[in-house]
Amino acid sequence: MADDKNHVYIFDTTLRDGEQALMRSLTPVQKLQLAMMLDELGVDVIEAGFPISSPGDLKSVHDIGHALKHAVCCGLSRTVEKDIDAVHEALHGLDHYRIHTFVATSDIHVKDKLHRSFDDIIAMCDHHVRYARNYTDDVEFSCEDAGRTPIDHLCRIVETAINAGATTVNIPDTVGYTLPYEFGGIIRTLFNRVPNIDKARISVHCHNDLGMATANSLTAVQEGARQIEVCMNGLGERAGNCSLEEVVMSMKLRAPYMHGVYTNVVAENIARASQMVASVCNEPVPSHKAIVGSNAFAHSSGIHQDGVLKNKQTYEILTPESVGFKENNMHMTARSGRHMIKAVLEKLGYKEGTYNLDDIYQRFLKLADRKGQVFDYDLEALMYFSQDEDEENQFKLDNLSVMSGGKNIIPTASVRLRIGKRTRTESGTGNGPVDAVFNCISRLTGLKLKLESFQINAKGSGMNAQGQVNVDVIYEGRHYYGVGISTDVIEASALSLISASNSIYRAQVIEQEKEQEENKEK
Ligand code: KIV
Ligand code: ZN
C-alpha cells in the first residue's frame, strides 16, 4: 500500500447494496445522477452495480464508469468467471477500475448455501482473484459473512486472497451480528496473524441489523482497517448498511479518538447528497436519523431550548451548516426562468447533462401555474417522473376525469391512456373514485393485479403539499411497486398504478429477451 496510511477510503455502495434493497429499482439515468453526486461528495470508490445481473445493469455500470471524474468505479461479481468478465466488459478502457469479487466463508453459508468444503472456497478465491487481476490491478475480495466465519478460516482466506493479488480485502459483517468489541477483535487478529496483511488495504462492510454498523466500522478503523463500505442514509439490505454520514462525521468530530485518520468526503455536501438519495430512491429519511434527519438539529423540550438559546453547544455537538443544511430562500414561480431552475437543480445535486432542462422547465411552468409557488420537493418530483419517462414507458396517462361525492352519486371515472403508440379510453365505476380509476386502468392495461397496499402521504406541508401515492401490487405472484405524485390525489393514485403497470411491462420485456437469448444459446 503506497499511499497515506491515515486516509480511510470511503467505498460507497448505495448504487449496489443500497439499490438492491429498494422496492423499485432505479433507472439508469437515476443511477448516473446519483453517481455524479457521490463523486462530487468525495467518496473514493463507487460500487456502481452488479453487471452480470442484467444487460441494463452492465450498461449502467459502463456509463457511470465513463462519467466519474474522481472516484474509482467498481463492479461486483461472484467468484464466477463470467461475472468477472461482465465487470471487465462494463469498465475496460478506463485508466483505473475495480473488480470486486466475493464468496461466502462462514460455515453456514459454505455448507448450507454453497454445498462446498472450505478447501473449495479457498480454491475459488485463489483462482478468481488471479483471474480478475488479469484484467485490472485493482481487485477487491470479500469474505461474505466474515463476521460469523471461524477465525482460523478467515485468516487463511485473507492470506490466500492477498497472495493471489487482491489489493483490498473486505471483511463484511453481512448479517449485522457482531458487537463492536468482537468485530474489532476480528480485525486485530487478522493484523496479528495474517503474514502478508500489509500488502493489501483492509476494508469493512457492516450491516445494521443490531444497530452496530457505525460502531463496528469505527472500531475496525481503530484496529487498522482503512476502507469503510457505506450507503448514503444507511440504505441497504434489511436494516441497511453502515451510513456514510455517520462514519464520516464521527471521524471528523471525534478525531482525537481516531488517531489522525481522515476521509476525503466534503462534509458540507452531505445534506444535499442525503436529500437527493432520499428523493431519487423514494426512501424518506426518518426524522430522527443521525446527522441527516429533519429533527437531527431540532430542539423540542423547554430545558433544551433554554440551553441552546444560552449556548448552542449545550445540546448541539455539530452545526447543521457543517453538513450543509441551509435555509432555502429561492422562490420559484411561473415567472422564474430556466436559469433559476437549473441553479436549484444544481443545488439539489443534479448535474447538468443528466437531465433534459427543456422538458423539466415545461413541466415546471405547468406546475407553477397550478400551484402558484413551486418548492424544492416539487422539482424533485418532476425529476422523478421525467426519469420515468426516459424509460419510454408503455403506459402513460393522457386524460382523467372523475365524478364522485354526494349520497346518490356512484363514483365514476373515465381514463385515457397512451399504450405504446395507441390511445384508448375506458369508463367505469367503483366503490370510490380511486377504485373507479383503478378499474379503468386495469381494463386498459389488461393486467390482472391484486392491490396489496395503498399509501397516501403529503409531500411538503400545508396547502402547498402535493399528494404522493405508493402502491404495492401483486401480479403473477410477484410484488411490483408504483409511485405517483400530483397536486390532485386522484391523479397521483392513477399515476401510481400506471407506474406499477409499467414496471410489470418492463419485467415482461426483460423476461422475453432473456428467453430469446437462452433459445439462441441452445
Ligand atoms: O453484505 C455483504 O456481505 C455484501 C458483499 C457482497 C460484500 O454485500
Ligand atoms: Zn452487504
Side-chain angles (χ1 to χ4, degrees):
M1 264 199 320
D3 65 353
D4 181 352
K5 294 244 182 313
N6 286 339
H7 177 186
V8 175
Y9 275 46
I10 296 296
F11 174 114
D12 186 282
T13 182
T14 308
L15 297 174
R16 198 278 300 167
D17 216 328
E19 204 259 357
Q20 81 195 30
L22 296 180
M23 298 218 284
R24 184 175 190 263
S25 44
L26 301 178
T27 67
V29 177
Q30 289 173 323
K31 287 190 195 169
L32 183 63
Q33 288 173 333
L34 291 181
M36 292 181 73
M37 173 279 295
L38 292 166
D39 198 21
E40 195 160 298
L41 181 63
V43 305
D44 300 282
V45 185
I46 293 177
E47 187 161 56
F50 190 10
I52 194 69
S53 64
S54 73
D57 208 51
L58 191 147
K59 180 165 182 318
S60 165
V61 173
H62 168 275
D63 292 350
I64 291 171
H66 286 77
L68 295 180
K69 295 204 171 65
H70 314 287
V72 170
C73 190
C74 168
L76 183 68
S77 63
R78 292 164 298 182
T79 42
V80 172
E81 287 185 5
K82 68 176 172 37
D83 286 33
I84 295 172
D85 294 340
V87 180
H88 171 70
E89 189 184 333
L91 296 176
H92 74 273
L94 293 177
D95 287 346
H96 185 177
Y97 69 91
R98 178 175 296 187
I99 297 179
H100 178 192
T101 189
F102 76 98
V103 66
T105 53
S106 64
D107 288 349
I108 180 168
H109 279 235
V110 171
K111 289 190 189 118
D112 294 353
K113 186 179 86 174
L114 302 174
H115 306 294
R116 301 278 191 150
S117 69
F118 192 70
D119 284 345
D120 294 339
I121 300 295
I122 289 284
M124 283 161 77
C125 161
D126 184 68
H127 173 76
H128 291 93
V129 169
R130 287 177 198 279
Y131 187 81
R133 275 302 300 259
N134 290 329
Y135 286 137
T136 173
D137 289 343
D138 190 345
V139 173
E140 171 167 337
F141 173 74
S142 282
C143 326
E144 191 190 11
D145 205 16
R148 292 189 298 173
T149 298
I151 194 70
D152 291 345
H153 281 182
L154 198 60
C155 290
R156 194 173 149 210
I157 198 149
V158 169
E159 185 179 349
T160 304
I162 299 174
N163 260 337
T167 40
T168 301
V169 178
N170 184 35
I171 310 299
D173 183 10
T174 302
V175 289
Y177 182 65
T178 62
L179 300 177
Y181 178 78
E182 187 187 4
F183 193 65
I186 293 174
I187 304 299
R188 192 181 324 130
T189 307
L190 291 174
F191 274 98
N192 287 337
R193 285 185 36 194
V194 175
N196 53 1
I197 194 115
D198 58 325
K199 304 278 184 306
R201 175 174 291 106
I202 297 303
S203 165
V204 290
H205 174 116
C206 298
H207 279 266
N208 206 27
D209 300 66
L210 292 176
M212 299 292 162
T214 298
N216 282 351
S217 303
L218 293 175
T219 309
V221 167
Q222 287 170 325
E223 295 296 343
R226 285 295 176 266
Q227 175 175 284
I228 307 182
E229 303 201 350
V230 293
C231 288
M232 196 70 229
N233 298 344
L235 290 183
E237 283 286 353
R238 304 179 312 279
N241 284 67
C242 179
S243 76
L244 180 150
E245 61 279 10
E246 291 176 16
V247 283
V248 167
M249 292 316 286
S250 300
M251 277 191 260
K252 207 170 150 109
L253 202 64
R254 307 308 310 276
Y257 283 86
M258 298 300 302
H259 317 302
V261 297
Y262 66 91
T263 74
N264 281 343
V265 169
V266 183
E268 294 74 18
N269 287 351
I270 284 179
R272 190 180 79 177
S274 160
Q275 286 166 353
M276 186 171 171
V277 167
S279 151
V280 172
C281 298
N282 195 30
E283 280 286 338
V285 179
S287 57
H288 56 275
K289 168 78 186 62
I291 319 285
V292 291
S294 58
N295 276 354
F297 299 99
H299 305 281
S300 306
S301 92
I303 295 174
H304 288 206
Q305 286 174 347
D306 177 57
V308 170
L309 288 171
K310 289 174 177 150
N311 177 351
K312 275 194 167 198
Q313 287 173 4
T314 49
Y315 289 99
E316 226 173 70
I317 57 164
L318 69 163
T319 63
E321 294 78 23
S322 66
V323 289
F325 282 112
K326 293 185 197 83
E327 275 297 301
N328 173 23
N329 296 321
M330 308 253 207
H331 291 283
M332 290 183 283
T333 67
R335 290 180 301 282
S336 306
R338 238 170 253 270
H339 190 223
M340 164 82 154
I341 302 309
K342 197 169 138 221
V344 176
L345 286 174
E346 179 80 29
K347 189 199 74 178
L348 294 172
Y350 293 91
K351 291 268 138 271
E352 199 184 344
T354 65
Y355 59 88
N356 180 338
L357 182 61
D358 287 339
D359 173 60
I360 292 294
Y361 188 62
Q362 290 311 320
R363 288 153 176 268
F364 158 76
L365 288 178
K366 276 193 205 148
L367 187 68
D369 279 343
R370 265 161 95 174
K371 282 193 76 184
Q373 191 175 357
V374 173
F375 295 85
D376 287 6
Y377 53 81
D378 295 319
L379 216 49
E380 295 263 20
L382 288 183
M383 290 301 285
Y384 195 88
F385 285 103
S386 74
Q387 288 148 2
D388 251 20
E389 282 176 11
D390 279 343
E391 295 294 291
E392 293 190 354
N393 285 328
Q394 172 73 354
F395 308 113
K396 187 174 177 216
L397 185 63
D398 213 38
N399 201 7
L400 168 71
S401 67
V402 177
M403 196 175 65
S404 76
K407 262 191 187 158
N408 300 321
I409 295 187
I410 299 171
T412 310
S414 166
V415 178
R416 191 163 73 222
L417 279 197
R418 198 209 65 204
I419 305 176
K421 293 201 165 53
R422 294 171 45 221
T423 303
R424 281 186 51 209
T425 307
E426 273 285 347
S427 303
T429 57
N431 58 23
V434 172
D435 190 45
V437 168
F438 277 19
N439 289 339
C440 295
I441 294 174
S442 300
R443 281 207 294 278
L444 286 164
T445 59
L447 300 169
K448 287 201 175 19
L449 310 174
K450 180 170 171 282
L451 185 64
E452 187 72 359
S453 82
F454 174 93
Q455 277 179 347
I456 183 157
N457 292 301
K459 214 167 163 74
S461 56
M463 296 299 283
N464 292 312
Q466 294 206 71
Q468 172 166 334
V469 174
N470 288 71
V471 288
D472 169 1
V473 299
I474 299 185
Y475 177 72
E476 292 186 345
R478 277 176 62 185
H479 285 265
Y480 293 86
Y481 303 90
V483 58
I485 303 175
S486 170
T487 48
D488 173 341
V489 289
I490 308 289
E491 185 175 279
S493 309
L495 290 170
S496 69
L497 195 67
I498 293 169
S499 142
S501 306
N502 278 319
S503 297
I504 296 172
Y505 182 80
R506 274 199 293 276
Q508 287 176 331
V509 172
I510 290 170
E511 282 298 317
Q512 279 163 10
E513 283 172 359
K514 254 194 194 159
E515 263 174 39
Q516 280 165 4
E517 280 293 314
E518 280 164 13
N519 288 341
K520 254 195 243 162
E521 278 171 21
K522 273 182 199 159

